[in-house]
Amino acid sequence: MKNFALIGASGYIAPRHLKAIKDTNNNLVAALDKFDSVGIMDSYFPEADFFVETERFDRHIEKLKYDKGVNLDYVSICTPNYLHDSHIRMALRRGADAICEKPLVLNPWNLDALQKMEQESGQRVWNILQLRVHQSIIDLKKKVDAAPKDKIFDVDLTYLTSRGNWYYTSWKGDVNKSGGIATNIGVHFYDMLSWIFGDVKENVVHVHTHDRAAGYLEFERARVRWFLSINYDVLPEEVKEKGQRTFRSITIEGEELEFSGGFTDLHTRVYEGIMEGNGYGLDDARQAIEIVHNIRNSKPIGLKGEYHPLAQKELVKHPFFI
């Protein structure tokens, strides 16, 4: 049984980490979050200590080590994107491996610094790249790997996940904290595409505003038109009629990839891989981080070349700046 701490216990994704820690028969000794709405902990680790101040949390971890001989093995990190780098460093300094949500960091050079810390500390940084363990994605990778090596696949990626006006007030709406649309909601798809189709050869951005982004990515084995949005009005009418607020679609050579289900235990499976020493490290995370960093810093070229059909949708003003 390994000892865990968790940073970001009130976050949306935290329950999946709590479940994964429980499912892998490990123990949560302490959790941290500046918000105290963490009743979810009662369902998994009611005996774990909880803190709302980093200083008290850090002191507690130290006291556990020196007063009770309890050493941390892992720190799970579910905090806002811009805090990941700092919290990973905290874990490594405490002699624990870090298990961090994506995006692991916001900038490629942050990965270089963390690699140096890994070497100095002897600890590891692990990333949650759960689409890589989804059976439909695994099957697609096998299909691509089995195809003729000169075969280039044509792919359309569409991910629409509606968000209300709260989004723009939260850290998610601040590009300096979240990295923007492509980083916040798209990074796991870019990782999946990288894993399946190889190195990036071209990265073009057609549209990039507060509520949507669209572009073209060329990989070794694929040409990808992509579109992401958090605007409800962009959803297909049939999706709205069903009362749904999310739509995702990946077509490969005109054939729809079915992966609507099978998400329940993906975090647990990633944790199992980490426990076995086969998790996803800094090198695995790098290309997706480079992709979103380049998207964030590219000037959109408009509707030129190979663009996603939804990129033609009329743009709207920011709800707070009308």
Side-chain angles (χ1 to χ4, degrees):
M1 181 180 287
K2 301 295 184 181
N3 291 320
F4 277 75
L6 186 144
I7 307 177
S10 75
Y12 168 79
I13 205 68
R16 298 189 192 181
H17 287 262
L18 291 167
K19 182 178 186 298
I21 295 168
K22 189 79 169 179
D23 288 349
T24 51
N25 298 312
N26 293 301
N27 182 45
L28 183 72
V29 298
L32 168 68
D33 201 303
K34 68 177 183 178
F35 301 107
D36 58 9
S37 296
V38 293
I40 186 65
M41 289 178 59
D42 288 342
S43 299
Y44 297 99
F45 298 100
E47 302 301 320
D49 295 306
F50 174 71
F51 300 86
V52 295
E53 296 174 334
T54 301
E55 295 81 4
R56 291 178 181 270
F57 170 80
D58 191 52
R59 182 180 67 178
H60 180 71
I61 297 303
E62 190 171 89
K63 286 174 67 67
L64 285 176
K65 177 179 180 179
Y66 291 110
D67 294 355
K68 297 184 179 181
V70 176
N71 291 299
L72 273 187
D73 298 296
Y74 296 93
V75 176
S76 297
I77 299 164
C78 313
T79 49
N81 300 349
Y82 72 106
L83 297 176
H84 289 176
D85 187 40
S86 176
H87 290 151
I88 290 170
R89 291 166 181 270
M90 180 190 296
L92 299 186
R93 286 196 300 269
R94 279 289 166 214
D97 281 12
I99 301 176
C100 187
E101 267 298 334
K102 58 200 167 303
L104 194 60
V105 290
L106 292 180
N107 304 300
W109 55 85
N110 299 138
L111 294 173
D112 300 331
L114 289 178
Q115 282 183 323
K116 292 179 181 177
M117 283 201 70
E118 275 192 334
Q119 294 166 3
E120 291 175 0
S121 66
Q123 306 304 136
R124 293 293 306 275
V125 180
W126 306 105
N127 200 193
I128 299 292
L129 303 176
Q130 75 270 32
L131 286 185
R132 296 193 187 196
V133 298
H134 192 292
Q135 192 57 53
S136 295
I137 305 302
I138 292 172
D139 292 342
L140 174 60
K141 180 170 173 56
K142 290 179 180 177
K143 179 179 178 180
V144 171
D145 289 346
K149 297 305 178 185
D150 60 350
K151 169 65 177 175
I152 308 297
F153 293 82
D154 287 309
V155 179
D156 274 4
L157 165 66
T158 310
Y159 183 47
L160 316 175
T161 180
S162 307
R163 298 290 186 267
N165 286 345
W166 66 266
Y167 182 96
Y168 301 106
T169 303
S170 77
W171 64 268
K172 296 174 185 287
D174 184 339
V175 68
N176 294 315
K177 293 182 176 180
S178 71
I181 292 285
T183 305
N184 207 32
I185 70 170
V187 68
H188 51 303
F189 288 111
Y190 300 126
D191 172 72
M192 178 266 289
L193 293 168
S194 297
W195 185 57
I196 294 173
F197 296 113
D199 292 339
V200 172
K201 298 172 64 177
E202 188 176 6
N203 185 350
V204 176
V205 178
H206 296 115
V207 176
H208 199 181
T209 68
H210 63 284
D211 71 344
R212 71 195 68 188
Y216 172 80
L217 280 164
E218 187 169 327
F219 295 87
E220 289 179 301
R221 304 290 309 275
R223 294 178 288 262
V224 182
R225 301 186 302 180
W226 58 268
F227 182 86
L228 311 171
S229 179
I230 58 169
N231 189 323
Y232 176 80
D233 293 335
V234 177
L235 286 169
E237 289 302 320
E238 60 269 23
V239 174
K240 296 179 186 177
E241 290 170 1
K242 295 177 183 177
Q244 298 173 353
R245 297 183 61 86
T246 297
F247 173 77
R248 58 175 168 252
S249 170
I250 300 178
T251 60
I252 300 95
E253 299 290 296
E255 182 178 344
E256 186 78 26
L257 173 68
E258 172 53 47
F259 71 122
S260 56
F263 287 89
T264 308
D265 297 316
L266 297 186
H267 276 67
T268 295
R269 292 175 62 187
V270 173
Y271 267 67
E272 288 170 346
I274 293 170
M275 299 297 105
E276 296 166 0
N278 298 318
Y280 305 115
L282 295 173
D283 288 337
D284 297 296
R286 184 173 292 275
Q287 180 158 279
I289 298 299
E290 291 175 343
I291 289 172
V292 294
H293 177 266
N294 290 337
I295 290 172
R296 185 164 66 247
N297 291 282
S298 294
K299 183 178 180 180
I301 66 170
L303 303 183
K304 302 175 184 177
E306 289 289 329
Y307 59 85
H308 192 288
L310 290 181
Q312 302 175 75
K313 287 274 189 177
E314 184 179 356
L315 300 181
V316 297
K317 293 182 179 179
H318 194 293
F320 295 169
F321 302 104
I322 295 177

